[in-house]
Amino acid sequence: DGGITQSPKYLFRKEGQNVTLSCEQNLNHDAMYWYRQDPGQGLRLIYYSQIVNDFQKGDIAEGYSVSREKKESFPLTVTSAQKNPTAFYLCASSIGAGGRTGELFFGEGSRLTVL
Amino acid sequence: AQSVTQPDIHITVSEGASLELRCNYSYGATPYLFWYVQSPGQGLQLLLKYFSGDTLVQGIKGFEAEFKRSQSSFNLRKPSVHWSDAAEYFCAVAPDTGRRALTFGSGTRLQVQP
């Protein structure tokens, strides 16, 4: 079945450590996204990529980095520069970016806790 | 820039009662609008979407939404709520130019009383 796979589902990190969250899709979608979810704040866009080897910052990109070397993969690295990284992270993809093709398909999420 | 407002943070309804969740958007052109549902600890699932045409759109699980341009609203409705509808609901808007990613509202958490 086609879908989006995020791993790990739960991750614990010590302060000062970088961690990488994996996101893989087999939907053959061109666009991929990372959102951060905090209670009462909805989903906030971290980064998005419309095509391989290209990505754009979202609203809260500071302290995060991404790469898009393959169409099916869009890993997110949470660096030690991110001041408050404890959150639920959601990866999504769409056929295209924006407009009619902007309907998102989501993974199950990764919960990161900084100890 | 586009924005989405969901005025109700938390709503409680009795099972079998009707439901309306509010969504207001701010966007200059005709927006592309979506409603998503999220169960605890899960990803989001699309309920319905509006691109153009008939302003009343039907979705999955018996939900519908009505686009009202004059009120800049896209409210979600269900005639009779089931206990399994308890979840968080998000309204979102997709532009056709500029930033090419959905903007989400802050969500409405629905609680269903027996």
Side-chain angles (χ1 to χ4, degrees):
Chain A
D1 286 338
I4 300 176
T5 302
Q6 289 188 241
S7 63
K9 192 169 178 65
Y10 299 95
L11 184 60
F12 297 88
R13 181 193 105 175
K14 293 182 180 179
E15 283 194 28
Q17 288 181 333
N18 293 355
V19 293
T20 297
L21 307 180
S22 170
C23 178
E24 303 278 332
Q25 56 101 356
N26 60 4
L27 300 168
N28 199 32
H29 286 172
D30 286 318
M32 296 187 74
Y33 311 79
W34 276 104
Y35 285 88
R36 170 178 170 146
Q37 186 176 18
D38 298 281
Q41 296 194 50
L43 279 70
R44 293 182 290 168
L45 183 67
I46 305 173
Y47 270 97
Y48 69 104
S49 168
Q50 298 182 66
I51 197 168
V52 174
N53 291 323
D54 185 53
F55 47 83
Q56 288 78 43
K57 292 182 179 180
D59 300 317
I60 56 166
E62 185 175 352
Y64 299 98
S65 66
V66 293
S67 63
R68 187 84 188 277
E69 297 176 0
K70 298 186 295 181
K71 185 176 185 177
E72 59 270 23
S73 178
F74 192 42
L76 173 73
T77 297
V78 184
T79 76
S80 56
Q82 169 50 233
K83 299 304 180 189
N84 185 21
T86 294
F88 190 54
Y89 291 88
L90 286 160
C91 179
S93 70
S94 63
I95 295 172
R100 292 174 180 267
T101 61
E103 174 187 338
L104 297 182
F105 295 78
F106 282 87
E108 295 285 290
S110 293
R111 185 167 297 282
L112 172 63
T113 303
V114 174
L115 303 173
Chain B
Q2 71 275 7
S3 66
V4 177
T5 302
Q6 293 180 247
D8 304 306
I9 297 172
H10 189 201
I11 284 182
T12 300
V13 301
S14 298
E15 191 168 16
S18 63
L19 171 70
E20 183 168 25
L21 302 182
R22 296 184 290 165
C23 172
N24 294 99
Y25 66 89
S26 172
Y27 186 62
T30 300
Y32 300 98
L33 294 161
F34 305 82
W35 274 100
Y36 284 84
V37 62
Q38 183 184 35
S39 298
Q42 301 294 313
L44 278 69
Q45 179 184 23
L46 180 69
L47 283 175
L48 48 77
K49 59 192 175 188
Y50 172 77
F51 291 158
S52 64
D54 192 347
T55 56
L56 184 63
V57 293
Q58 302 297 321
I60 62 171
K61 304 185 181 187
F63 285 92
E64 66 178 25
E66 186 170 13
F67 171 63
K68 292 186 178 180
R69 183 188 302 277
S70 61
Q71 298 177 19
S72 297
S73 70
F74 188 56
N75 294 350
L76 182 71
R77 302 194 295 244
K78 187 169 185 178
S80 177
V81 170
H82 188 262
W83 63 266
S84 61
D85 293 324
E88 189 150 22
Y89 293 81
F90 293 94
C91 183
V93 61
D96 56 3
T97 59
R99 185 179 103 161
R100 302 180 74 75
L102 294 196
T103 297
F104 285 84
S106 55
T108 298
R109 181 164 296 281
L110 173 65
Q111 200 167 4
V112 180
Q113 287 182 335

